[in-house]
Amino acid sequence: MNREQMIEKVRAEMPERRWLHTQGVMETAVILANRFGEDAVRAELAAILHDVSKYWNVDRMQKVIRDQALPAELLLYDKELWHAPVGAWVAEHEFGVADTEVLDAIRYHTSGRRGMSKLEKIVCLADYMEPGREFPGVDKIRELSEHSLDLALLAGFNSTISFLLEKGKRIFPLTIEARNSLLE
Ligand code: DGI
Ligand code: FE
Ligand code: FE
């Protein structure tokens, strides 16, 4: 599948506003890749696909998690986390993506994890700070991203963790590990 076909197929999976978000993540991921010395084509590919299953219903995501033996622990945490590993599976099996690092960038774009690759960090950070994003602290994240991928991403995880604490929600262990790992 070529880039244009992929874009059309992803676009058909989501409402227009999510497609606008995806385009913002694509542009931002390319800028960050060029800034921090990563392959912009792979960063853009991961960005195109990162939210491909965001609008799947819960049953459909649960089925992929169970049938494809994705980590069952996910089912104990917020369902907002599920579209990332499910998306990686879809990217591989429905879009023919074979690059495991691109697949991991999709898989960990929401939760993060310990010892993230540069490509994983870029996609995760682009998702936080694309031009359409508005939340308290996003401008600080954009500012930090001018110089430091790690400090900007750390600020992103801090903001998510604070948000989850405020809402009284559980925090997926990989997110805690991602934050600790950036602090080390
Ligand atoms: O899919 P997007 O909206 O573009 O962004 P995302 O994939 O980063 O999803 C973020 C949502 O996931 C955000 O509303 C917070 C929620 N979430 C729930 N539990 C956790 C979590 N995010 C992280 N990083 N860790 C969690 O434990
Ligand atoms: Fe997402
Ligand atoms: Fe996203």
Side-chain angles (χ1 to χ4, degrees), residues 56-106:
W56 283 26
N57 69 40
V58 169
D59 292 344
R60 193 172 172 203
M61 286 192 287
Q62 258 178 3
K63 188 167 161 48
V64 172
I65 292 170
R66 294 218 172 89
D67 294 356
Q68 306 305 325
L70 304 184
E73 194 196 8
L74 283 161
L75 299 171
L76 304 174
Y77 293 87
D78 196 336
K79 55 187 179 347
E80 285 294 325
L81 290 159
W82 303 352
H83 72 283
V86 171
W89 185 85
V90 170
E92 183 174 4
H93 297 278
E94 292 182 14
F95 289 80
V97 175
D99 184 332
T100 55
E101 293 179 19
V102 169
L103 295 174
D104 281 342
I106 300 168

CSV table of all heavy atoms in Angstrom, one decimal, residues 56-106:
chain,number,residue,atom,x,y,z
A,56,TRP,N,-12.7,2.7,17.0
A,56,TRP,CA,-13.3,1.3,17.1
A,56,TRP,C,-14.1,1.2,18.4
A,56,TRP,O,-13.7,1.9,19.4
A,56,TRP,CB,-12.2,0.3,17.2
A,56,TRP,CG,-11.5,0.0,15.8
A,56,TRP,CD1,-11.4,0.8,14.8
A,56,TRP,CD2,-10.8,-1.2,15.5
A,56,TRP,NE1,-10.7,0.2,13.8
A,56,TRP,CE2,-10.3,-1.1,14.2
A,56,TRP,CE3,-10.6,-2.4,16.2
A,56,TRP,CZ2,-9.6,-2.1,13.6
A,56,TRP,CZ3,-9.9,-3.4,15.6
A,56,TRP,CH2,-9.4,-3.2,14.2
A,57,ASN,N,-15.2,0.5,18.4
A,57,ASN,CA,-15.9,0.3,19.6
A,57,ASN,C,-15.1,-0.6,20.5
A,57,ASN,O,-14.2,-1.3,20.1
A,57,ASN,CB,-17.4,-0.1,19.4
A,57,ASN,CG,-17.5,-1.5,18.9
A,57,ASN,OD1,-16.8,-2.4,19.3
A,57,ASN,ND2,-18.4,-1.6,17.9
A,58,VAL,N,-15.5,-0.6,21.8
A,58,VAL,CA,-14.8,-1.3,22.9
A,58,VAL,C,-14.8,-2.8,22.6
A,58,VAL,O,-13.7,-3.4,22.8
A,58,VAL,CB,-15.5,-1.0,24.2
A,58,VAL,CG1,-15.0,-1.9,25.3
A,58,VAL,CG2,-15.3,0.4,24.6
A,59,ASP,N,-15.8,-3.4,22.1
A,59,ASP,CA,-15.9,-4.8,21.8
A,59,ASP,C,-14.9,-5.2,20.8
A,59,ASP,O,-14.2,-6.3,20.9
A,59,ASP,CB,-17.3,-5.2,21.4
A,59,ASP,CG,-18.3,-5.1,22.5
A,59,ASP,OD1,-17.9,-5.0,23.7
A,59,ASP,OD2,-19.5,-5.1,22.2
A,60,ARG,N,-14.8,-4.4,19.8
A,60,ARG,CA,-13.9,-4.7,18.7
A,60,ARG,C,-12.4,-4.7,19.1
A,60,ARG,O,-11.6,-5.5,18.8
A,60,ARG,CB,-14.1,-3.8,17.5
A,60,ARG,CG,-13.5,-4.2,16.2
A,60,ARG,CD,-14.0,-3.2,15.1
A,60,ARG,NE,-13.2,-3.5,13.9
A,60,ARG,CZ,-13.1,-2.6,12.9
A,60,ARG,NH1,-13.7,-1.4,13.0
A,60,ARG,NH2,-12.4,-2.8,11.8
A,61,MET,N,-12.1,-3.7,19.9
A,61,MET,CA,-10.7,-3.6,20.5
A,61,MET,C,-10.4,-4.7,21.4
A,61,MET,O,-9.4,-5.3,21.4
A,61,MET,CB,-10.5,-2.2,21.2
A,61,MET,CG,-10.4,-1.0,20.3
A,61,MET,SD,-9.8,0.5,21.1
A,61,MET,CE,-11.3,0.9,22.0
A,62,GLN,N,-11.4,-5.0,22.3
A,62,GLN,CA,-11.2,-6.1,23.3
A,62,GLN,C,-11.0,-7.4,22.5
A,62,GLN,O,-10.2,-8.2,23.0
A,62,GLN,CB,-12.5,-6.3,24.1
A,62,GLN,CG,-12.4,-5.7,25.5
A,62,GLN,CD,-13.6,-5.8,26.3
A,62,GLN,OE1,-14.6,-6.4,25.9
A,62,GLN,NE2,-13.6,-5.2,27.5
A,63,LYS,N,-11.7,-7.6,21.4
A,63,LYS,CA,-11.5,-8.9,20.7
A,63,LYS,C,-10.1,-9.0,20.1
A,63,LYS,O,-9.5,-10.1,20.2
A,63,LYS,CB,-12.6,-8.9,19.5
A,63,LYS,CG,-12.6,-10.3,18.8
A,63,LYS,CD,-13.8,-10.4,17.9
A,63,LYS,CE,-13.7,-11.5,16.9
A,63,LYS,NZ,-13.2,-12.8,17.4
A,64,VAL,N,-9.6,-7.9,19.6
A,64,VAL,CA,-8.2,-8.0,19.1
A,64,VAL,C,-7.2,-8.2,20.2
A,64,VAL,O,-6.3,-9.1,20.1
A,64,VAL,CB,-7.8,-6.7,18.3
A,64,VAL,CG1,-6.3,-6.7,18.0
A,64,VAL,CG2,-8.6,-6.5,17.0
A,65,ILE,N,-7.4,-7.6,21.4
A,65,ILE,CA,-6.5,-7.7,22.5
A,65,ILE,C,-6.5,-9.2,23.0
A,65,ILE,O,-5.5,-9.8,23.2
A,65,ILE,CB,-6.9,-6.8,23.7
A,65,ILE,CG1,-6.6,-5.3,23.3
A,65,ILE,CG2,-6.1,-7.2,25.0
A,65,ILE,CD1,-7.1,-4.3,24.2
A,66,ARG,N,-7.7,-9.8,23.0
A,66,ARG,CA,-7.8,-11.2,23.4
A,66,ARG,C,-7.3,-12.2,22.4
A,66,ARG,O,-6.5,-13.0,22.6
A,66,ARG,CB,-9.3,-11.6,23.7
A,66,ARG,CG,-9.9,-10.8,24.9
A,66,ARG,CD,-10.8,-11.7,25.7
A,66,ARG,NE,-11.2,-11.0,27.0
A,66,ARG,CZ,-12.2,-10.2,27.1
A,66,ARG,NH1,-13.0,-10.0,26.0
A,66,ARG,NH2,-12.5,-9.6,28.2
A,67,ASP,N,-7.8,-12.0,21.1
A,67,ASP,CA,-7.5,-13.0,20.1
A,67,ASP,C,-6.1,-13.0,19.7
A,67,ASP,O,-5.5,-14.0,19.2
A,67,ASP,CB,-8.4,-12.8,18.8
A,67,ASP,CG,-9.9,-13.0,19.1
A,67,ASP,OD1,-10.2,-13.5,20.3
A,67,ASP,OD2,-10.7,-12.8,18.2
A,68,GLN,N,-5.5,-11.8,19.7
A,68,GLN,CA,-4.1,-11.6,19.2
A,68,GLN,C,-3.1,-11.7,20.4
A,68,GLN,O,-1.9,-11.3,20.2
A,68,GLN,CB,-3.9,-10.3,18.5
A,68,GLN,CG,-4.9,-10.2,17.3
A,68,GLN,CD,-4.9,-11.3,16.3
A,68,GLN,OE1,-3.9,-11.9,16.1
A,68,GLN,NE2,-6.1,-11.7,15.8
A,69,ALA,N,-3.6,-12.0,21.6
A,69,ALA,CA,-2.8,-12.1,22.8
A,69,ALA,C,-1.9,-10.9,23.0
A,69,ALA,O,-0.8,-10.9,23.4
A,69,ALA,CB,-1.8,-13.4,22.6
A,70,LEU,N,-2.6,-9.7,22.9
A,70,LEU,CA,-1.9,-8.5,23.3
A,70,LEU,C,-2.0,-8.5,24.9
A,70,LEU,O,-2.8,-9.2,25.4
A,70,LEU,CB,-2.6,-7.3,22.7
A,70,LEU,CG,-2.7,-7.3,21.2
A,70,LEU,CD1,-3.3,-6.0,20.7
A,70,LEU,CD2,-1.3,-7.5,20.6
A,71,PRO,N,-1.2,-7.7,25.6
A,71,PRO,CA,-1.2,-7.7,27.0
A,71,PRO,C,-2.6,-7.5,27.7
A,71,PRO,O,-3.2,-6.5,27.5
A,71,PRO,CB,-0.3,-6.5,27.4
A,71,PRO,CG,0.5,-6.3,26.2
A,71,PRO,CD,-0.3,-6.7,25.0
A,72,ALA,N,-3.1,-8.6,28.3
A,72,ALA,CA,-4.4,-8.6,28.9
A,72,ALA,C,-4.6,-7.6,30.0
A,72,ALA,O,-5.7,-7.1,30.3
A,72,ALA,CB,-4.8,-10.0,29.4
A,73,GLU,N,-3.4,-7.2,30.6
A,73,GLU,CA,-3.4,-6.2,31.7
A,73,GLU,C,-4.1,-4.9,31.3
A,73,GLU,O,-4.7,-4.2,32.1
A,73,GLU,CB,-2.0,-6.0,32.1
A,73,GLU,CG,-1.9,-5.2,33.4
A,73,GLU,CD,-0.5,-4.7,33.7
A,73,GLU,OE1,0.4,-4.7,32.7
A,73,GLU,OE2,-0.2,-4.2,34.8
A,74,LEU,N,-4.0,-4.6,30.0
A,74,LEU,CA,-4.6,-3.4,29.4
A,74,LEU,C,-6.0,-3.3,29.7
A,74,LEU,O,-6.6,-2.2,29.9
A,74,LEU,CB,-4.4,-3.4,27.9
A,74,LEU,CG,-3.1,-3.1,27.3
A,74,LEU,CD1,-3.0,-3.6,25.8
A,74,LEU,CD2,-2.9,-1.6,27.3
A,75,LEU,N,-6.7,-4.4,29.8
A,75,LEU,CA,-8.1,-4.5,30.0
A,75,LEU,C,-8.5,-4.0,31.4
A,75,LEU,O,-9.7,-3.6,31.6
A,75,LEU,CB,-8.7,-5.9,29.7
A,75,LEU,CG,-8.5,-6.4,28.3
A,75,LEU,CD1,-8.9,-7.8,28.1
A,75,LEU,CD2,-9.2,-5.5,27.3
A,76,LEU,N,-7.5,-3.9,32.3
A,76,LEU,CA,-7.8,-3.4,33.7
A,76,LEU,C,-7.7,-1.9,33.8
A,76,LEU,O,-8.0,-1.3,34.8
A,76,LEU,CB,-6.8,-4.1,34.6
A,76,LEU,CG,-6.8,-5.6,34.7
A,76,LEU,CD1,-5.6,-6.1,35.6
A,76,LEU,CD2,-8.1,-6.2,35.1
A,77,TYR,N,-7.2,-1.3,32.7
A,77,TYR,CA,-6.9,0.1,32.7
A,77,TYR,C,-7.8,0.9,31.7
A,77,TYR,O,-8.5,0.2,30.9
A,77,TYR,CB,-5.4,0.4,32.5
A,77,TYR,CG,-4.6,-0.1,33.6
A,77,TYR,CD1,-4.1,-1.4,33.6
A,77,TYR,CD2,-4.3,0.7,34.7
A,77,TYR,CE1,-3.3,-1.9,34.6
A,77,TYR,CE2,-3.5,0.2,35.7
A,77,TYR,CZ,-3.0,-1.1,35.7
A,77,TYR,OH,-2.3,-1.6,36.7
A,78,ASP,N,-7.8,2.2,31.7
A,78,ASP,CA,-8.6,3.0,30.9
A,78,ASP,C,-8.6,2.5,29.4
A,78,ASP,O,-7.6,2.3,28.8
A,78,ASP,CB,-8.1,4.5,31.0
A,78,ASP,CG,-9.1,5.5,30.4
A,78,ASP,OD1,-10.0,5.1,29.6
A,78,ASP,OD2,-9.0,6.6,30.8
A,79,LYS,N,-9.8,2.4,28.9
A,79,LYS,CA,-9.9,2.0,27.5
A,79,LYS,C,-9.3,2.9,26.5
A,79,LYS,O,-9.0,2.5,25.3
A,79,LYS,CB,-11.4,1.6,27.1
A,79,LYS,CG,-12.4,2.7,27.3
A,79,LYS,CD,-13.8,2.2,27.1
A,79,LYS,CE,-14.9,3.2,27.3
A,79,LYS,NZ,-14.6,4.5,28.0
A,80,GLU,N,-9.0,4.2,26.9
A,80,GLU,CA,-8.3,5.1,26.1
A,80,GLU,C,-6.9,4.6,25.7
A,80,GLU,O,-6.3,5.1,24.7
A,80,GLU,CB,-8.1,6.5,26.8
A,80,GLU,CG,-9.4,7.3,26.9
A,80,GLU,CD,-9.8,7.8,25.5
A,80,GLU,OE1,-9.0,8.1,24.6
A,80,GLU,OE2,-11.0,7.9,25.3
A,81,LEU,N,-6.4,3.7,26.5
A,81,LEU,CA,-5.1,3.1,26.2
A,81,LEU,C,-5.1,2.1,25.1
A,81,LEU,O,-4.1,1.8,24.5
A,81,LEU,CB,-4.5,2.4,27.5
A,81,LEU,CG,-4.1,3.3,28.6
A,81,LEU,CD1,-4.1,2.5,29.9
A,81,LEU,CD2,-2.7,3.9,28.4
A,82,TRP,N,-6.3,1.5,24.8
A,82,TRP,CA,-6.3,0.3,24.0
A,82,TRP,C,-6.0,0.5,22.5
A,82,TRP,O,-5.5,-0.4,21.8
A,82,TRP,CB,-7.7,-0.4,24.1
A,82,TRP,CG,-8.0,-0.8,25.5
A,82,TRP,CD1,-7.2,-0.7,26.7
A,82,TRP,CD2,-9.3,-1.3,26.0
A,82,TRP,NE1,-8.0,-1.1,27.8
A,82,TRP,CE2,-9.2,-1.5,27.4
A,82,TRP,CE3,-10.5,-1.6,25.3
A,82,TRP,CZ2,-10.3,-2.0,28.1
A,82,TRP,CZ3,-11.6,-2.1,26.1
A,82,TRP,CH2,-11.5,-2.3,27.5
A,83,HIS,N,-6.4,1.7,22.0
A,83,HIS,CA,-6.2,1.9,20.6
A,83,HIS,C,-4.8,1.9,20.1
A,83,HIS,O,-4.5,1.8,18.9
A,83,HIS,CB,-6.9,3.2,20.1
A,83,HIS,CG,-6.2,4.5,20.6
A,83,HIS,ND1,-6.2,4.9,21.9
A,83,HIS,CD2,-5.3,5.3,19.9
A,83,HIS,CE1,-5.5,6.0,21.9
A,83,HIS,NE2,-4.9,6.3,20.8
A,84,ALA,N,-3.9,2.1,21.0
A,84,ALA,CA,-2.4,2.1,20.6
A,84,ALA,C,-1.9,0.7,20.3
A,84,ALA,O,-1.5,0.5,19.1
A,84,ALA,CB,-1.6,2.8,21.7
A,85,PRO,N,-2.0,-0.2,21.2
A,85,PRO,CA,-1.6,-1.6,20.8
A,85,PRO,C,-2.4,-2.2,19.7
A,85,PRO,O,-1.9,-2.9,18.8
A,85,PRO,CB,-1.6,-2.4,22.1
A,85,PRO,CG,-2.4,-1.6,23.0
A,85,PRO,CD,-2.3,-0.2,22.6
A,86,VAL,N,-3.7,-1.9,19.8
A,86,VAL,CA,-4.6,-2.4,18.7
A,86,VAL,C,-4.2,-1.8,17.4
A,86,VAL,O,-4.2,-2.5,16.3
A,86,VAL,CB,-6.1,-2.1,19.0
A,86,VAL,CG1,-7.0,-2.5,17.9
A,86,VAL,CG2,-6.5,-3.0,20.3
A,87,GLY,N,-3.9,-0.5,17.4
A,87,GLY,CA,-3.5,0.2,16.2
A,87,GLY,C,-2.2,-0.4,15.6
A,87,GLY,O,-2.1,-0.5,14.4
A,88,ALA,N,-1.3,-0.8,16.4
A,88,ALA,CA,0.0,-1.4,16.0
A,88,ALA,C,-0.4,-2.7,15.2
A,88,ALA,O,0.2,-3.1,14.2
A,88,ALA,CB,0.9,-1.7,17.1
A,89,TRP,N,-1.3,-3.5,15.8
A,89,TRP,CA,-1.7,-4.7,15.2
A,89,TRP,C,-2.4,-4.5,13.8
A,89,TRP,O,-2.1,-5.1,12.8
A,89,TRP,CB,-2.7,-5.5,16.1
A,89,TRP,CG,-3.0,-6.9,15.5
A,89,TRP,CD1,-2.3,-8.0,15.7
A,89,TRP,CD2,-4.1,-7.2,14.7
A,89,TRP,NE1,-2.9,-9.0,15.0
A,89,TRP,CE2,-4.0,-8.5,14.4
A,89,TRP,CE3,-5.2,-6.4,14.2
A,89,TRP,CZ2,-4.9,-9.2,13.6
A,89,TRP,CZ3,-6.1,-7.1,13.4
A,89,TRP,CH2,-6.0,-8.5,13.1
A,90,VAL,N,-3.2,-3.5,13.8
A,90,VAL,CA,-3.9,-3.1,12.5
A,90,VAL,C,-2.9,-2.6,11.5
A,90,VAL,O,-2.9,-3.0,10.3
A,90,VAL,CB,-5.0,-2.0,12.8
A,90,VAL,CG1,-5.5,-1.4,11.5
A,90,VAL,CG2,-6.1,-2.5,13.6
A,91,ALA,N,-1.9,-1.8,11.9
A,91,ALA,CA,-0.9,-1.3,11.0
A,91,ALA,C,-0.1,-2.5,10.3
A,91,ALA,O,0.1,-2.5,9.1
A,91,ALA,CB,0.1,-0.4,11.7
A,92,GLU,N,0.2,-3.5,11.2
A,92,GLU,CA,0.9,-4.6,10.6
A,92,GLU,C,0.0,-5.5,9.7
A,92,GLU,O,0.4,-5.9,8.6
A,92,GLU,CB,1.5,-5.5,11.8
A,92,GLU,CG,2.3,-6.7,11.3
A,92,GLU,CD,3.0,-7.5,12.5
A,92,GLU,OE1,2.7,-7.1,13.6
A,92,GLU,OE2,3.7,-8.4,12.1
A,93,HIS,N,-1.2,-5.8,10.2
A,93,HIS,CA,-2.0,-6.8,9.5
A,93,HIS,C,-2.9,-6.3,8.5
A,93,HIS,O,-3.3,-7.0,7.6
A,93,HIS,CB,-2.7,-7.7,10.5
A,93,HIS,CG,-1.7,-8.5,11.4
A,93,HIS,ND1,-1.1,-9.6,11.0
A,93,HIS,CD2,-1.2,-8.1,12.6
A,93,HIS,CE1,-0.3,-10.0,11.9
A,93,HIS,NE2,-0.3,-9.1,12.9
A,94,GLU,N,-3.3,-5.0,8.6
A,94,GLU,CA,-4.2,-4.5,7.6
A,94,GLU,C,-3.6,-3.4,6.7
A,94,GLU,O,-4.1,-3.1,5.6
A,94,GLU,CB,-5.5,-3.9,8.3
A,94,GLU,CG,-6.3,-4.9,8.9
A,94,GLU,CD,-7.6,-4.4,9.5
A,94,GLU,OE1,-8.0,-3.2,9.3
A,94,GLU,OE2,-8.2,-5.2,10.3
A,95,PHE,N,-2.4,-2.9,7.1
A,95,PHE,CA,-1.7,-1.9,6.3
A,95,PHE,C,-0.3,-2.5,5.8
A,95,PHE,O,0.4,-1.8,5.1
A,95,PHE,CB,-1.5,-0.6,7.0
A,95,PHE,CG,-2.8,0.2,7.2
A,95,PHE,CD1,-3.7,-0.2,8.2
A,95,PHE,CD2,-3.1,1.2,6.4
A,95,PHE,CE1,-4.9,0.5,8.4
A,95,PHE,CE2,-4.3,2.0,6.6
A,95,PHE,CZ,-5.2,1.6,7.6
A,96,GLY,N,0.0,-3.7,6.2
A,96,GLY,CA,1.2,-4.3,5.7
A,96,GLY,C,2.5,-3.6,6.2
A,96,GLY,O,3.6,-3.7,5.6
A,97,VAL,N,2.5,-2.9,7.3
A,97,VAL,CA,3.7,-2.3,7.9
A,97,VAL,C,4.6,-3.4,8.5
A,97,VAL,O,4.1,-4.1,9.4
A,97,VAL,CB,3.4,-1.2,8.9
A,97,VAL,CG1,4.7,-0.7,9.5
A,97,VAL,CG2,2.6,-0.1,8.2
A,98,ALA,N,5.8,-3.5,8.1
A,98,ALA,CA,6.7,-4.6,8.6
A,98,ALA,C,7.8,-4.0,9.5
A,98,ALA,O,8.4,-4.8,10.2
A,98,ALA,CB,7.3,-5.4,7.4
A,99,ASP,N,8.0,-2.7,9.5
A,99,ASP,CA,9.0,-2.1,10.3
A,99,ASP,C,8.6,-2.1,11.8
A,99,ASP,O,7.7,-1.4,12.2
A,99,ASP,CB,9.2,-0.6,9.8
A,99,ASP,CG,10.3,0.1,10.4
A,99,ASP,OD1,10.7,-0.2,11.6
A,99,ASP,OD2,10.8,1.0,9.8
A,100,THR,N,9.3,-3.0,12.5
A,100,THR,CA,8.9,-3.2,13.9
A,100,THR,C,9.1,-1.9,14.8
A,100,THR,O,8.4,-1.7,15.8
A,100,THR,CB,9.7,-4.3,14.6
A,100,THR,OG1,11.1,-4.1,14.5
A,100,THR,CG2,9.4,-5.7,13.9
A,101,GLU,N,10.0,-1.1,14.4
A,101,GLU,CA,10.2,0.2,15.2
A,101,GLU,C,9.1,1.1,14.9
A,101,GLU,O,8.7,1.9,15.8
A,101,GLU,CB,11.6,0.8,14.9
A,101,GLU,CG,12.7,-0.1,15.4
A,101,GLU,CD,14.1,0.4,15.1
A,101,GLU,OE1,14.2,1.6,14.9
A,101,GLU,OE2,15.0,-0.4,15.2
A,102,VAL,N,8.6,1.2,13.7
A,102,VAL,CA,7.4,2.0,13.4
A,102,VAL,C,6.2,1.4,14.2
A,102,VAL,O,5.4,2.1,14.8
A,102,VAL,CB,7.1,2.0,11.9
A,102,VAL,CG1,5.7,2.6,11.6
A,102,VAL,CG2,8.2,2.8,11.2
A,103,LEU,N,6.1,0.1,14.2
A,103,LEU,CA,5.0,-0.6,14.9
A,103,LEU,C,5.0,-0.3,16.4
A,103,LEU,O,4.0,0.0,17.0
A,103,LEU,CB,5.0,-2.1,14.6
A,103,LEU,CG,4.7,-2.5,13.2
A,103,LEU,CD1,4.9,-4.0,13.0
A,103,LEU,CD2,3.3,-2.1,12.7
A,104,ASP,N,6.2,-0.3,17.0
A,104,ASP,CA,6.4,0.0,18.4
A,104,ASP,C,6.1,1.5,18.7
A,104,ASP,O,5.5,1.8,19.7
A,104,ASP,CB,7.8,-0.3,18.9
A,104,ASP,CG,8.0,-1.8,19.1
A,104,ASP,OD1,7.0,-2.5,19.3
A,104,ASP,OD2,9.1,-2.2,19.2
A,105,ALA,N,6.4,2.4,17.7
A,105,ALA,CA,6.0,3.8,17.9
A,105,ALA,C,4.5,4.0,18.0
A,105,ALA,O,4.0,4.8,18.7
A,105,ALA,CB,6.6,4.7,16.8
A,106,ILE,N,3.8,3.2,17.2
A,106,ILE,CA,2.3,3.2,17.3
A,106,ILE,C,1.9,2.6,18.6
A,106,ILE,O,1.1,3.1,19.3
A,106,ILE,CB,1.7,2.5,16.1
A,106,ILE,CG1,2.1,3.2,14.8
A,106,ILE,CG2,0.2,2.4,16.2
A,106,ILE,CD1,1.8,2.4,13.5
